Amino acid sequence: MPTELHVYPGAFHASEHLAPEAALSRRIIETRLTALRNALAPGCTLPRAADLTLTR
């Protein structure tokens, strides 16, 4: 099974949940959603991070 590892300098585990509005957090979330879209494709539509309301 193909696997990718993304390392984000300056981020720690689950940091996107503590500061969901931060640019790095949005990048992390978008990367995760893109991976899900690719895994579930074709025909599956998931929201883009920009379309989500992120709350703490």
Side-chain angles (χ1 to χ4, degrees):
M1 170 175 283
T3 304
E4 292 182 23
L5 172 66
H6 295 263
V7 178
Y8 301 95
F12 52 90
H13 180 72
S15 63
E16 70 275 13
H17 297 287
L18 295 176
E21 311 85 20
L24 181 57
S25 296
R26 291 202 171 268
R27 191 170 127 214
I28 292 168
I29 294 165
E30 187 61 43
T31 301
R32 189 173 297 147
L33 289 174
T34 298
L36 284 170
R37 273 189 219 98
N38 292 338
L40 299 173
C44 181
T45 56
L46 294 174
R48 300 192 65 75
D51 299 332
L52 299 176
T53 301
L54 303 175
T55 58
R56 291 185 222 186

